[in-house]
């Protein structure tokens, strides 16, 4: 029995010692400052080991932590702020050039097409591609009198969307994908393409080629245009 009582007393003393040691430390309120430990006057050892804050409120490494937080915030906020602008610019259609509501045609290098230079490089009977409405490949046609036709021909095949090349030997637009053919003005003459090539209006603006939507009757077959203006 004496042995059991001794063990119980030792356990009780150990419990009291643990509680007293834990109560020697208390967490100071955060209040916007770094976490610090306050010591109880009862614990001289803990007082010596506690972190010391200078009288002016300086906390060691606080500046370094603030700098790292600023870098982290910048790395997150930068992409978040830039991404919407990139998406908007990507999804917004290209602005029309000039005040006439049309789109300035561009050549293979992305340069605006000048009428005079184009006619010098593309003699009568030529059908050459430019970037037109909505970025689609569009043929400009040089007439026999050395001027440009007042319309352009969209080069996208109405079957499955291949770009249709001009065949000078056939005097036709001939699709290499599935054999569809169109006459010199883009009217379908052989399937499987179900429709003629779309048209675009062509005009001059300050010496530059401007393309705009064709909304009138299709002169090739006398029907309303099937394409969306």
């Amino acid at each position: 029995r004496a042995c059991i009582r001794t063990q119980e007393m030792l356990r009780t003393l150990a419990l009291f010692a643990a509680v007293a040691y834990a109560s020697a430390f208390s967490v100071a309120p955060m209040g916007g400052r770094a976490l610090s430990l306050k010591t109880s006057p009862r614990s001289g050892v803990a007082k010596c080991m506690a972190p010391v804050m200078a009288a002016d409120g300086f906390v060691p490494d606080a500046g370094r932590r603030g700098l790292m937080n600023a870098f982290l915030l910048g790395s997150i906020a930068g992409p978040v702020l830039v991404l919407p602008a990139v998406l908007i610019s990507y999804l917004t259609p290209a602005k029309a050039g000039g005040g006439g509501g049309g789109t300035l045609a561009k050549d293979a290098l992305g340069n605006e097409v000048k009428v005079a230079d184009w006619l010098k490089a593309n003699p009568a009977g030529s059908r050459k591609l430019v970037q037109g409405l909505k970025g689609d490949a569009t043929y400009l046609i040089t007439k026999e009198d050395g001027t440009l036709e007042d319309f352009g021909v969209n080069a996208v095949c109405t079957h499955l969307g291949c770009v249709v090349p001009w065949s000078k030997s056939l005097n036709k637009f001939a699709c290499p994908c599935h054999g569809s053919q169109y006459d010199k003005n883009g009217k379908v003459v052989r399937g499987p393409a179900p429709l003629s090539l779309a048209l675009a209006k062509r005009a001059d603006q300050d010496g530059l080629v401007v393309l705009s939507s064709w909304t009138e009757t299709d002169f090739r077959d006398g029907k309303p245009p099937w394409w969306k203006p």
Side-chain angles (χ1 to χ4, degrees):
R1 289 183 180 178
C3 181
I4 295 174
R5 290 178 180 177
T6 301
Q7 291 179 353
E8 290 178 351
M9 290 178 64
L10 290 175
R11 291 175 183 173
T12 303
L13 289 174
L15 178 60
F16 280 128
V19 172
Y21 182 79
S23 64
F25 297 92
S26 60
V27 179
M30 294 296 290
R33 295 183 177 181
L35 181 64
S36 63
L37 295 177
K38 289 185 177 180
T39 61
S40 171
R42 293 175 294 178
S43 177
V45 176
K47 184 175 181 179
C48 294
M49 297 177 60
V52 178
M53 178 181 291
D56 59 357
F58 173 75
V59 179
D61 292 334
R64 184 179 301 174
R65 288 196 297 271
L67 182 61
M68 293 302 295
N69 289 338
F71 277 126
L72 179 60
L73 180 61
S75 64
I76 296 174
V80 170
L81 295 175
V82 172
L83 183 59
V86 174
L87 290 176
I88 291 172
S89 64
Y90 177 77
L91 296 175
T92 301
K95 293 183 179 179
T103 297
L104 291 173
K106 295 184 178 181
D107 60 20
L109 299 177
N111 300 316
E112 296 171 350
V113 176
K114 298 180 180 180
V115 177
D117 293 344
W118 185 266
L119 292 175
K120 289 178 182 179
N122 299 283
S126 298
R127 284 162 174 78
K128 294 295 180 65
L129 288 171
V130 297
Q131 179 181 322
L133 298 175
K134 301 178 182 178
D136 285 349
T138 302
Y139 283 100
L140 295 182
I141 301 174
T142 307
K143 297 189 292 185
E144 294 302 323
D145 62 1
T147 61
L148 287 174
E149 286 282 8
D150 60 1
F151 63 89
V153 178
N154 191 304
V156 179
C157 183
T158 59
H159 179 220
L160 291 179
C162 297
V163 174
V164 184
W166 167 252
S167 174
K168 188 174 181 180
S169 60
L170 295 176
N171 199 35
K172 296 177 183 178
F173 295 102
C175 183
C177 296
H178 303 96
S180 298
Q181 293 185 2
Y182 308 84
D183 70 10
K184 62 181 182 179
N185 292 326
K187 179 181 179 181
V188 63
V189 293
R190 175 180 170 181
L195 300 165
S196 298
L197 298 175
L199 295 174
K201 289 183 179 179
R202 189 211 59 82
D204 298 350
Q205 181 177 302
D206 299 327
L208 302 175
V209 174
V210 178
L211 297 172
S212 58
S213 298
W214 184 288
T215 57
E216 293 82 1
T217 299
D218 188 341
F219 67 87
R220 299 168 300 185
D221 56 17
K223 298 178 181 180
W226 60 264
W227 53 90
K228 185 177 180 180

